[in-house]
Amino acid sequence: MATQPVSLAKTTRPSLAGIIPRDRLYRRLDEALGSAVVWMTGPPGCGKTTLAASYLEQRKPSSLWYQLDEGDADVASFFYYLGLAIHDPGKRKSARLPQLTPEYHAGLPAFTRRYFQALYQQLGAAFAIVIDGYHEVPAQSVFHDVMRIALGEVPPGGAVMLISRTDPPAAMARLRANRAIEVIGWRELRLTQEESNALVARRGHKLAHDALIDLYNRTQGWAAGLILMLEQAPAHDPLAAPSDLSNAGLVFDYLAGEIFQKTDARTRELLLATAYLPQMTAAMAQRISGTDSADALLAELYRNNNFVALKQAQPQPVYQYHPLLREFLLARV
């Protein structure tokens, strides 16, 4: 069994230094949490985790933060570390939650209900739980069935926020059909022009109006892309022209690590072959790349929020790469 420091990593919230308040999304979360469960989904670096942390800081409910990783595919490990997260002798007088010992595995649904009923009771009448990094758990894990049961047990006054790069898994289809899950996606999470301008100012930069617009058009509200581009620009001199931010080296490093290197060889070949197309159908992508499965690969990139937008759904899907992803791919080509 892993040691206590691992559990601390699982319950550490992100730093909120240098963020901007996002009042429109705080209000959106206030409304969405009326459904008890909120699923936040978007590409890496779009501000999902920061939004959840700053919301808790603003609203100050009784809260619990848990960071998922691949190890949580073993549900016994998940239950164990979640129990460590809530058991804090210095702050709460609470009994330890039950552990998933071998005799309980045959009755996992019943154990899950009992476990989460006890956890919610310990958190009090009003609480918020954040489950971050949901996409890290493999799709075939029984963990998703555990979470479906856990979300169905959330009492009135309780709220659960799940953060992922992907949409809710198939195990949660019924909860979505019953509107028990509110989904907040990339379209809402992306920075507005005003928020982008405020973040530029918060980072100590001064840009002319046209430069701010050009920067926003390149980043399209992607918070990490904006921050990384500003990191490369000198803060001591006013930035008057878009060319001052033309170097996207840090952004390219980020995209290489978070997107390109994490895809398989077929997907990488498709991305590189289609980089010159401003927009494309699956048939166009297949013809230019020679990849028979272009339609499935593009659909998966879109579903997984890998900086691929769906510009048109009918009569056939039309896809478009994020401008910075396209710049990165062209540079790799």
Side-chain angles (χ1 to χ4, degrees):
M1 183 63 68
T3 56
Q4 177 74 7
V6 177
S7 69
L8 293 177
K10 285 178 171 291
T11 59
T12 301
R13 302 183 190 187
S15 170
L16 296 179
I19 71 158
I20 58 169
R22 305 191 71 187
D23 293 332
R24 66 179 180 90
L25 289 176
Y26 298 157
R27 293 191 296 271
R28 178 72 175 90
L29 282 170
D30 286 338
E31 298 170 359
L33 288 171
S35 300
V37 181
V38 173
W39 186 282
M40 286 195 283
T41 178
C46 74
K48 305 180 294 294
T49 298
T50 301
L51 172 62
S54 61
Y55 178 80
L56 295 183
E57 180 67 21
Q58 284 277 334
R59 300 300 190 254
K60 301 187 184 305
S62 171
S63 61
L64 174 66
W65 190 285
Y66 191 88
Q67 179 71 44
L68 292 169
D69 57 39
E70 291 183 357
D72 291 297
D74 175 4
V75 292
S77 175
F78 168 69
F79 283 122
Y80 173 76
Y81 284 115
L82 190 57
L84 288 183
I86 193 172
H87 182 70
D88 187 349
K91 296 182 180 180
R92 297 188 183 97
K93 293 182 180 180
S94 58
R96 283 194 177 274
L97 295 170
Q99 293 190 26
L100 183 62
T101 49
E103 64 267 23
Y104 287 119
H105 279 272
L108 185 59
F111 174 87
T112 299
R113 290 188 182 90
R114 184 162 65 88
Y115 183 99
F116 278 95
Q117 287 168 359
L119 183 146
Y120 297 149
Q121 185 175 12
Q122 289 190 24
L123 286 171
F127 63 83
I129 299 175
V130 177
I131 306 292
D132 196 3
Y134 198 101
H135 57 276
E136 297 287 354
V137 180
Q140 67 273 17
S141 173
V142 71
F143 171 85
H144 304 294
D145 293 318
V146 165
M147 285 306 305
R148 172 181 54 80
I149 296 169
L151 297 177
E153 295 295 325
V154 179
V160 178
M161 288 186 277
L162 302 111
I163 301 173
S164 179
R165 295 183 186 179
T166 62
D167 287 343
M172 297 183 188
R174 177 172 293 183
L175 291 172
R176 292 193 72 179
N178 294 336
R179 297 190 176 182
I181 295 181
E182 185 81 11
V183 178
I184 297 178
W186 170 227
R187 184 171 296 179
E188 293 179 271
L189 290 170
R190 70 174 69 214
L191 298 170
T192 63
Q193 177 76 68
E194 293 73 20
E195 290 168 339
S196 177
N197 296 350
L199 188 54
V200 170
R202 178 65 63 90
R203 294 275 164 169
H205 297 278
K206 296 180 181 179
L207 272 69
H209 177 71
D210 289 347
L212 288 169
I213 293 175
D214 180 80
L215 182 58
Y216 185 74
N217 288 337
R218 289 185 71 192
T219 59
Q220 293 193 352
W222 178 35
L226 174 62
I227 291 170
L228 290 172
M229 293 185 75
L230 293 174
E231 286 288 326
Q232 299 174 139
H236 52 82
D237 291 327
L239 300 174
S243 59
D244 294 326
L245 292 167
S246 60
N247 183 356
L250 288 177
V251 178
F252 288 180
D253 292 343
Y254 186 95
L255 290 171
E258 292 295 327
I259 303 296
F260 197 72
Q261 294 172 5
K262 291 185 178 181
T263 60
D264 58 32
R266 288 189 311 155
T267 303
R268 290 196 295 270
E269 290 170 5
L270 175 71
L271 288 168
L272 293 173
T274 55
Y276 286 96
L277 299 175
Q279 295 183 350
M280 75 200 81
T281 64
M284 293 166 62
Q286 179 175 329
R287 183 169 183 180
I288 197 171
S289 68
T291 304
D292 293 337
S293 56
D295 53 347
L297 295 177
L298 284 170
E300 183 177 10
L301 287 167
Y302 169 71
R303 284 195 304 270
N304 292 338
N305 283 301
N306 283 332
F307 298 100
V308 177
L310 183 63
K311 304 302 293 184
Q312 172 185 308
Q314 299 294 335
Q316 56 184 323
V318 176
Y319 298 97
Q320 182 180 56
Y321 297 148
H322 187 284
L324 288 172
L325 174 63
R326 191 165 174 235
E327 288 181 32
F328 162 75
L329 293 173
L330 291 172
R332 291 298 293 256
V333 170

